Amino acid sequence: MALNSTQRFSDRVANYVRYRPGYPAELVTFLHETCGVPVRAKIADIGAGTGISSKLLLDAGHPVIAVEPNDAMRQAADQWLSGYPNYSSVAAPAEQTTLPDASVDLVAAAQAFHWFDREKVRGEFARILRPDGLVALFWNIRLLDGSDFLRGYETLLRTYGVDYSAVAERYSDDADMQAWFGAGLRHIGHFHYVQKLDFDGLRGRLLSSSYVPQAGHPNHEPAMQALRTLFDTTARQGVVDFAYDTRIYVGKL
C-alpha cells in the first residue's frame, strides 16, 4: 500500500535536512516590500517539514509556529531551530492545525500545498487568520530542461523512480492558484534559484525525494549508477547546477 503524505518522508529526514534546497532571499523581500507583510507578523508555517521554510521566516524576524504532522520531520525541525525564542511547533495536519481562531497574521506553506486537501485547508486557513491576514504559498519547481544535467536527471527519475509520475506534476501553476484564491489573489512572484551540488550533495538530494527507491529496492543500485554517470558527464568544476523556478502566490481568503 502506498504511503500517505504524512508518512512518506519519515525514512528520508536526514537527507531532507542536509540536501533539500532553501529559498532565494528575494522571497522574503517580496513578502515585505511587495506584499506589505510586517516584519513582526506572526506566521503559521503549515506542513513545515524539517523547518527549512520556518528558518527562512525566523531569520527575517518573524515569530513562527511550525505545523507538521510527521513526527520525525517535526522533531528534526525542533532540534534545528531550538535556539530561536520565537519558534514553536504543533503536531497537526494542515486541515486541522489546532491553532486558535484569528491567531496569526500570515499562513505560509512551502513545498507542501500539493499534499493538502485544498478545500478543507481553505476553511482552516481562514479560521486561524486574523482579519486582513494573508496566505503565502510557495515552492521550488525543479527545472526539467535547460542543460544536459537537468534533462538527464528527469530521465533518471522517470526510469527508476517509484510512483514518480503520480506526484511529479502536482505543483500548481499561475492559473490553478488564480482559481484557488479567486478574487483574493494579490501577488505572484517568480524567482530563479540554483543549488550547486557536488556528487555527495546530488546523491543526498536525490534520496530525499519520496519517489526515489531506497537501498534494497531493485531500482536503487541502477539509479545510483545512473546518477554517477550523469554527474561525471555533466559536472563542471566538481558541481552541477540544480536549478529551480521558485514561485510564490500571496492573497486573501
Side-chain angles (χ1 to χ4, degrees), residues 13-224:
V13 169
N15 283 322
Y16 208 103
V17 169
R18 293 186 63 186
Y19 302 116
R20 277 296 175 114
Y23 299 94
E26 294 93 332
L27 201 76
V28 170
T29 302
F30 181 82
L31 283 172
H32 291 165
E33 297 184 1
T34 301
C35 305
V37 175
V39 173
R40 296 298 298 169
K42 186 175 182 180
I43 300 176
D45 185 7
I46 311 297
T50 60
I52 296 171
S53 51
S54 293
K55 185 176 187 301
L56 174 81
L57 299 167
L58 288 162
D59 286 340
H62 294 281
V64 175
I65 304 170
V67 179
E68 174 54 51
N70 182 294
D71 290 338
M73 298 187 88
R74 189 183 64 261
Q75 288 163 11
D78 289 348
Q79 181 177 3
W80 187 29
L81 303 176
S82 61
Y84 289 88
N86 289 329
Y87 169 80
S88 61
S89 71
V90 297
E95 298 82 3
Q96 293 178 299
T97 65
T98 73
L99 300 182
D101 293 355
S103 59
V104 298
D105 303 298
L106 178 73
V107 168
Q111 218 73 24
F113 184 74
H114 57 292
W115 296 116
F116 303 162
D117 182 318
R118 56 174 56 198
E119 292 311 313
K120 288 183 179 178
V121 296
R122 178 193 297 278
E124 181 66 356
F125 291 176
R127 183 185 69 79
I128 66 175
L129 276 172
R130 292 171 179 153
D132 296 324
L134 294 171
V135 174
L137 307 175
F138 56 97
W139 44 80
N140 293 317
I141 298 180
R142 174 176 51 85
L143 298 184
L144 309 184
D145 204 346
S147 71
D148 290 342
F149 166 72
L150 293 172
R151 287 186 290 271
Y153 192 84
E154 175 67 7
T155 298
L156 185 155
L157 293 179
R158 293 196 176 276
T159 303
Y160 300 108
V162 178
D163 80 351
Y164 174 66
S165 60
V167 300
E169 306 301 333
R170 293 181 58 148
Y171 296 120
S172 298
D173 58 16
D174 291 1
D176 191 36
M177 284 289 89
Q178 179 67 73
W180 189 79
F181 276 102
L185 183 62
R186 295 291 185 269
H187 306 282
I188 299 175
H190 288 251
F191 307 97
H192 186 65
Y193 186 57
V194 175
Q195 274 182 297
K196 290 188 176 293
L197 299 173
D198 61 14
F199 181 73
D200 287 342
L202 179 61
R203 184 179 184 276
R205 174 65 181 85
L206 178 73
L207 291 174
S208 74
S209 297
S210 63
Y211 41 73
V212 173
Q214 298 279 52
H217 189 283
N219 281 7
H220 177 78
E221 284 304 323
M224 295 302 102

